[in-house]
Amino acid sequence: MKDAAGPARGGRQIRRRLLKTSAAQLLSASPLALGLGALPGAARAQGSATSWPSRPVRIIVPFPPGGTTDNVTRLIAAELTRALGQPVIVENKPGAGTVIGVDAAAKAAPDGHTFVCVANSFCVNHTLVRKLPYDSLRDLRPVALMGMSEHVLATHPGSGLQRLADLVPSARTRPGSLSYASFGQGTSAHLSGEMLRALLGIDLLHVPYKGQTPALADLLAGQVSMMFGNWPEFRGLIQSGKLIALGMATARRSAYAPQIATLAEQGVPLESNTWSGLLTASATPDAIVQRMNHEVNKAIDAASVSEAFQKGGVASLAGTPARFADFIQTEIRRYAEVIQRARIVADA
């Protein structure tokens, strides 16, 4: 049955489901009963936020401009600039499946002037990348969750695919012809593609990009067969016929796209999304982290941000640093299970 709720109600329902479980049920991995607190090793340095910030604040986005994570960060950064009295500058630093940008934040001075907006790939890389230049659990500390976008599996009109059921016969009659793009190695779009391959038992070539924007450009040009993408950027392209939706990667019909069948309805129990949240260097004082968390939560509730979220199909995810820490721990363990089950290995 289609969800008859409007986008606003749908966004609230999504938020309640995510915060109740501490993590979205991604890629149909079984939920884990965890009782987790703050990340181990996160510094609990004391300090005052009365003189902070004393200069412009930098938020690193480890993706190219134009994707959902970048857009969410810029919306909130505009509100933070007004609240903090200093410019909040968004710096795009893509590369190495987001590792380059995250590493820059981990090694920045722990004075509250450098943050990084991470997504699912931060938790994936903890297991998938053998030699990270930082310790995910000790070198960075959670500040605030921000938003979540549902994924849609889409193809271009020239692919010969009109529905999900076409994938198996197409893969078997044209071996090696089907490919899927991702936002980069270790991103949620990468793991979603690998889970799709494993669940259907077909051959799919993974083509990683440095973010959703260049991947989407090649999908539109017919250079790749399909990809899992964030609904906000795919909605208009699907409505205009430039892309074909094969299914929503959601547990039930999306409030933002109730006309599109879920992958689960079509026999493929796969769920996927992209969430966004802020981290900073682990030794950053508590007072600064708490102040930044407070201001981010206020920004999420600001009319300019909440209206843009509702219009774009982004669910808001406000909360405490401790709740975000629990969320990260759960996501790391969940993705580790997915990687092991699907036997996903890092691309050469």
Side-chain angles (χ1 to χ4, degrees), residues 26-47:
L26 299 175
L27 310 180
S28 73
S30 300
L32 301 175
L34 301 176
L36 300 169
L39 295 179
R44 292 294 172 261
Q46 298 301 311

Side-chain angles (χ1 to χ4, degrees), residues 13 26 59 70 82-83 105 124 127 129 132 141 173 250 263 269 292 310 323 328:
Q13 291 173 338
L26 299 175
I59 300 180
D70 182 63
R82 288 186 278 272
V124 174
T127 299
V129 180
L132 286 171
R141 64 182 299 186
T173 57
T250 52
L263 297 176
M292 186 63 156
Q310 293 297 338
R323 177 168 284 178
I328 288 174

Side-chain angles (χ1 to χ4, degrees), residues 307-330:
E307 289 172 8
F309 274 20
Q310 293 297 338
K311 183 177 179 181
V314 177
S316 62
L317 297 178
T320 65
R323 177 168 284 178
F324 189 19
D326 287 349
F327 183 99
I328 288 174
Q329 290 265 18
T330 306

Side-chain angles (χ1 to χ4, degrees), residues 124-179:
V124 174
N125 287 339
H126 182 80
T127 299
L128 189 63
V129 180
R130 293 183 180 181
K131 294 183 179 180
L132 286 171
Y134 53 82
D135 188 311
S136 308
L137 301 180
R138 296 187 182 278
D139 294 341
L140 295 132
R141 64 182 299 186
V143 178
L145 266 171
M146 298 194 299
M148 188 277 288
S149 299
E150 297 166 331
H151 279 179
V152 60
L153 176 61
T155 186
H156 60 89
S159 68
L161 305 171
Q162 294 294 322
R163 52 182 185 158
L164 188 66
D166 294 333
L167 281 177
V168 173
S170 180
R172 290 176 179 171
T173 57
R174 299 182 295 157
S177 65
L178 295 182
S179 60

